[in-house]
Amino acid sequence: MNLSMKWLADYVKADVPIKDFCHALTMSGSKVECYEEEGKNISNVVVGKILSKGPHENADALFVCQVDIGAEAPIQIVTNAKNVKEGDLVPVALDGAVLPEGKIKKCKMRGVESFGMFCGLDTLGLTAHDFPYADPEGVFVIEEDCKLGQDIHSAIGLDDTSVEFEITSNRPDCLSVIGLARETAATYDLPLTVKAPEFKGVNGDVNSYLKVDIHNAEKCPRYCAGIVKNVKIGPSPRWMRERLRASGVRPINNFVDITNYVMLEYGQPMHAFDLRYVEGAHINVRNAQNGEKIMTLDGVERELTSDMLVIADEKKPVAVAGVMGGEYSGIMDDTTTVVFESAYFEPSQVRQTSKKLKLKSDASARYEKGVDPTISMTCLKRAFELVELLGAGEVVNTVIDCNKSDFKPSEVVFDPEWINNFLGTDISEDKMKEYLSRLGFTFSGNNVVAPAFRIDIGCKADIAEEVARIYGYNNIPSTDFRGVAKAEFTDEQKFVRALRNAAVSLGGYEIATYSFVSPKYFDKIRLPENSKLRDVVRIVNPLGEDTSVMRTTTLPSMLDVLSFNYNNRNEKACLFEISKEYLPAKEEKPFINGDILANSGTQKHKYAFSLPDEPQRLTIGMYGGDADFYTLKGMVEQLLDEMNIGEVEYIRATDCDEFDEKYALHPGRSAVIIKDGAFLGILGEVHPEVQEKYEIGVKTYAAKLNIPELMAAAAQKITYSPLPKFPATTRDISLVCDEDTPAAEIEKAIKNAVGKTLEKVTLFDIYRSDDMKQNSKKSLAYSISMRSHDGTLTDEQADSAMKRVIKALGAIGAELRG
């Protein structure tokens, strides 16, 4: 939003330096992006009067002019301009003048001295829209009331300052001059002067000209209209053109400029129709019919659907409600009777229509955020007031007001003690009421009532924010958290930081992905239709289908990033992410906002809903280089070791129903990690079908670890083990077992059989002969290291342990290799 400081002065007299103004408004919550002083790159340009114009003695295309600039003597200027004559007032750039195109110096042109130059519109950074009477190709001949020698900035109104504000989506009231004037008055504690618009009009019955019917009161609860007859189309006066220009809006003609002026002034979009193109002189606010078409003002034919609201006559749509008018609804040079429209359209339907039609406008940008639902008639009257002020036509003194609105302002409990506790301040109740009154709030009993233009107010925290920003954020003292002697990381935060550092030390690069994803992701990772991961939390107002649900698994997000890297010719990648999954709550956990006493007509508040569970996950993904299943497993094992998680068990992913992500992994090259019955995570090679869907042309590996379960499994204390005093005894054993017998199962049997003297079991060889392959057998060789802390193991003790091992192995179908 660009604010003209000249325009602002109509409502509040904030006579302060521009830098102080920008700082103060930013500190009170209206962030200033920048400000721009008109004509700041122009200097030493004055108004001059051409006293004489004669031919150049050495050039047929040049003329020599004597120019009066209000000095003791006229100056001489050589020009090639053909559109100037004696008596004309023109902008004169004197010797040493600075223009956007460079610095002007006196010089000789074909032997004749020239002490400056005449300026055209483009030289001054202006266009024909700013001064419609001027020749856009020649020198700017000034028709304004000005004095000789007067600085060009004040002479033609090129002396305004425009301040650009960043207006957040929850503050549509600030998308207007009056809204920002209100903020300025509250910030500086100055009076705000906003006069109620008035117009005289001519006698007449508007109903004899026009009829209005609202067929969808939910999407359009109020529609106001009026008639201007005997209109005179022409340029707007200079003051209006200047304010529109400073606000970043191009002047068109008086009627279009009036609608834009009111929109900028009040924040209420308006539209003007040529009555002769409204067939039957009957306006119907209705839903479009499927397949119905309209040619909008931008010259594009658009097909409508039944969920879109249109302004129609008796036969066709003439405008898309809240977005843009139709091709034949605009004001033309031969227009004689104009219909002014001022209405309130429900924000979400305007946004949805604008998005579906891929059509954005200044009107839709305001309507979709929510305008004041009570000012439609005020803005219509303001438009008529301007019509009379500009002498642009005769206003019929009766209006149409179809009002089906049941708007009620929001009321919130006013609790000064709670506000002070919330902010950490000691502001008196009277001061709080003063701050809120400055902003337009009123009081009813123990409640504070939000003004109609503040559609963002819903709870006590909103009221506290209003108090805080007028009191001054910089005036709020710094305080420690109540009940906390010192700010510290929680155990979970410490654990996650340690986990992140460990992942980085193993060569991983951290990534961050969106928490909202597409439901199509579940098909891409081969999830069954009945998978519990398809039970998702859906977003009420998604940006699109691709971001319509909260993820229940982080694996698709990791695969997306791996795919992006691979398809951008990154030869290898080792990535990790610590993020959350969003699982629908197993038990009802209501979140209740009890501060809302009334709902406004423009904002719906839910009183209770269930929050999802949000467990943290560590997701790892890799491909290329030396990436394989064992590299990933080794990385996971190192992470577990770093986090003080002792012996874990690996089982086939296909044998586990805990992780539905197993369907995304290769059935023979994936495993689930378990400790003491708790499922810590899953890892493995990505299934070839999934790789193909993600367009990854090399083998890819992924793991997902459950951080809450990792924390529970981590040893709380690190115990010291002294160096062994007695030597170890080692035995090697070679076995033959079925091909599908997991090595981990054999290792587990060995550990249980040896008992507490076991120090380490190491698989050092896998062998398959042709005979073994035919019989679906394989040979595994283990090194078993045993040690006692009470003394040196005897051969008898070691042999006894090995006998127990052989017996235990026999029970699972493994026998000594002959």
Side-chain angles (χ1 to χ4, degrees), residues 93-390:
L94 303 176
D95 179 28
V98 176
L99 296 172
E101 59 190 35
K103 195 170 184 179
I104 304 302
K105 295 182 180 180
K106 65 180 181 179
C107 63
K108 286 187 177 182
M109 300 182 68
R110 292 292 185 92
V112 177
E113 278 194 314
S114 179
F115 292 87
M117 66 171 279
F118 298 146
C119 299
L121 288 175
D122 58 342
T123 306
L124 299 174
L126 302 171
T127 69
H129 294 287
D130 299 308
F131 292 91
Y133 62 79
D135 182 353
E137 303 297 330
V139 168
F140 177 20
V141 179
I142 303 172
E143 296 182 4
E144 314 299 317
D145 184 15
C146 54
K147 299 178 181 179
L148 296 183
Q150 183 178 353
D151 186 88
I152 197 65
H153 294 90
S154 59
I156 64 173
L158 196 64
D159 55 353
D160 201 352
T161 299
S162 177
V163 180
E164 181 181 348
F165 286 85
E166 178 190 332
I167 307 300
T168 53
S169 59
N170 67 316
R171 291 299 307 275
D173 59 298
C174 289
L175 288 171
S176 65
V177 177
I178 291 177
L180 291 172
R182 189 182 298 113
E183 291 294 308
T184 303
T187 300
Y188 285 102
D189 194 13
L190 294 172
L192 176 70
T193 305
V194 181
K195 296 179 181 178
E198 298 177 352
F199 70 97
K200 296 180 180 179
V202 296
N203 292 333
D205 182 5
V206 69
N207 294 300
S208 65
Y209 291 89
L210 184 70
K211 180 181 179 183
V212 175
D213 283 311
I214 297 176
H215 300 277
N216 189 334
E218 184 178 348
K219 291 185 176 181
C220 177
R222 190 174 190 184
Y223 191 98
C224 303
I227 296 291
V228 180
K229 62 182 183 178
N230 299 325
V231 305
K232 302 172 184 177
I233 307 299
S236 301
R238 192 183 100 180
W239 62 267
M240 180 175 282
R241 300 197 307 268
E242 286 177 6
R243 292 184 175 188
L244 292 176
R245 181 182 68 224
S247 302
V249 175
R250 179 168 58 94
I252 305 295
N253 60 48
N254 48 6
F255 275 85
V256 174
D257 292 351
I258 285 171
T259 60
N260 286 332
Y261 191 91
V262 174
M263 179 183 70
L264 292 169
E265 189 173 39
Y266 283 87
Q268 167 72 50
M270 295 189 66
H271 194 69
F273 298 98
D274 190 331
L275 181 60
R276 61 183 166 173
Y277 294 115
V278 181
E279 296 194 45
H282 186 187
I283 286 180
N284 292 279
V285 185
R286 61 170 174 83
N287 284 67
Q289 298 173 7
N290 282 324
E292 202 167 18
K293 295 182 179 180
I294 184 174
M295 182 77 74
T296 48
L297 282 171
D298 58 355
V300 178
E301 185 177 64
R302 291 180 161 84
E303 185 172 330
L304 307 174
T305 58
S306 60
D307 58 345
M308 299 178 182
L309 193 71
V310 296
I311 311 301
D313 56 24
E314 291 187 343
K315 294 184 179 180
K316 65 184 184 304
V318 294
V320 182
V323 182
M324 186 174 287
E327 181 181 25
Y328 297 106
S329 69
I331 304 302
M332 303 180 186
D333 292 340
D334 59 346
T335 298
T336 59
T337 306
V338 169
V339 180
F340 271 101
E341 163 197 285
S342 180
Y344 177 81
F345 300 115
E346 195 275 324
S348 62
Q349 68 90 16
V350 174
R351 182 179 185 277
Q352 290 168 4
T353 299
S354 173
K355 188 175 180 182
K356 286 181 180 179
L357 295 178
K358 298 180 180 178
L359 180 61
K360 293 285 289 185
S361 64
D362 287 337
S364 68
R366 285 170 166 80
Y367 272 127
E368 68 186 26
K369 292 178 178 66
V371 300
D372 184 343
T374 66
I375 62 168
S376 297
M377 182 54 69
T378 301
C379 293
L380 184 65
K381 290 180 179 179
R382 176 56 170 159
F384 289 159
E385 183 180 50
L386 290 171
V387 169
E388 292 185 338
L389 181 64
L390 272 57

Side-chain angles (χ1 to χ4, degrees), residues 653-675:
T654 52
D655 297 337
C656 177
D657 294 329
E658 179 68 20
F659 294 92
D660 281 356
E661 286 95 342
K662 67 184 178 182
Y663 297 103
L665 302 178
H666 193 295
R669 300 168 191 167
S670 56
V672 169
I673 311 166
I674 299 177
K675 181 176 176 61

Side-chain angles (χ1 to χ4, degrees), residues 262-534:
V262 174
M263 179 183 70
L264 292 169
E265 189 173 39
Y266 283 87
Q268 167 72 50
M270 295 189 66
H271 194 69
F273 298 98
D274 190 331
L275 181 60
R276 61 183 166 173
Y277 294 115
V278 181
E279 296 194 45
H282 186 187
I283 286 180
N284 292 279
V285 185
R286 61 170 174 83
N287 284 67
Q289 298 173 7
N290 282 324
E292 202 167 18
K293 295 182 179 180
I294 184 174
M295 182 77 74
T296 48
L297 282 171
D298 58 355
V300 178
E301 185 177 64
R302 291 180 161 84
E303 185 172 330
L304 307 174
T305 58
S306 60
D307 58 345
M308 299 178 182
L309 193 71
V310 296
I311 311 301
D313 56 24
E314 291 187 343
K315 294 184 179 180
K316 65 184 184 304
V318 294
V320 182
V323 182
M324 186 174 287
E327 181 181 25
Y328 297 106
S329 69
I331 304 302
M332 303 180 186
D333 292 340
D334 59 346
T335 298
T336 59
T337 306
V338 169
V339 180
F340 271 101
E341 163 197 285
S342 180
Y344 177 81
F345 300 115
E346 195 275 324
S348 62
Q349 68 90 16
V350 174
R351 182 179 185 277
Q352 290 168 4
T353 299
S354 173
K355 188 175 180 182
K356 286 181 180 179
L357 295 178
K358 298 180 180 178
L359 180 61
K360 293 285 289 185
S361 64
D362 287 337
S364 68
R366 285 170 166 80
Y367 272 127
E368 68 186 26
K369 292 178 178 66
V371 300
D372 184 343
T374 66
I375 62 168
S376 297
M377 182 54 69
T378 301
C379 293
L380 184 65
K381 290 180 179 179
R382 176 56 170 159
F384 289 159
E385 183 180 50
L386 290 171
V387 169
E388 292 185 338
L389 181 64
L390 272 57
E394 297 177 355
V395 180
V396 176
N397 62 2
T398 56
V399 296
I400 295 173
D401 185 6
C402 293
N403 189 358
K404 301 182 180 181
S405 172
D406 58 352
F407 172 80
K408 293 181 180 179
S410 293
E411 292 189 24
V412 179
V413 173
F414 181 57
D415 189 342
E417 183 179 355
W418 184 92
I419 292 174
N420 275 324
N421 288 334
F422 183 70
L423 298 176
T425 56
D426 186 18
I427 307 172
S428 68
E429 180 178 342
D430 290 340
K431 270 295 181 183
M432 289 185 188
K433 287 185 175 181
E434 177 194 334
Y435 296 153
L436 293 171
S437 298
R438 286 193 216 170
L439 293 166
F441 290 81
T442 56
F443 297 88
S444 175
N446 294 325
N447 302 330
V448 58
V449 183
F453 53 82
R454 290 304 301 274
I455 64 173
D456 59 312
I457 301 300
C459 62
K460 287 191 290 188
D462 294 330
I463 301 300
E465 181 184 3
E466 299 303 301
V467 171
R469 66 191 186 89
I470 302 303
Y471 175 70
Y473 294 119
N474 54 316
N475 294 324
I476 297 176
S478 298
T479 56
D480 293 330
F481 288 109
R482 288 178 174 82
V484 179
K486 182 180 179 182
E488 294 181 346
F489 289 116
T490 64
D491 291 339
E492 182 181 9
Q493 288 172 328
K494 292 176 182 177
F495 186 86
V496 169
R497 287 168 69 90
L499 193 62
R500 177 180 288 110
N501 291 336
V504 171
S505 70
L506 292 170
Y509 287 85
E510 187 171 11
I511 63 171
T513 59
Y514 290 115
S515 298
F516 30 87
V517 298
S518 168
K520 296 177 182 177
Y521 277 7
F522 302 134
D523 295 327
K524 291 183 74 172
I525 63 170
R526 302 178 68 249
L527 283 186
E529 289 298 327
N530 61 348
S531 171
K532 61 180 180 295
L533 296 180
R534 290 183 181 268

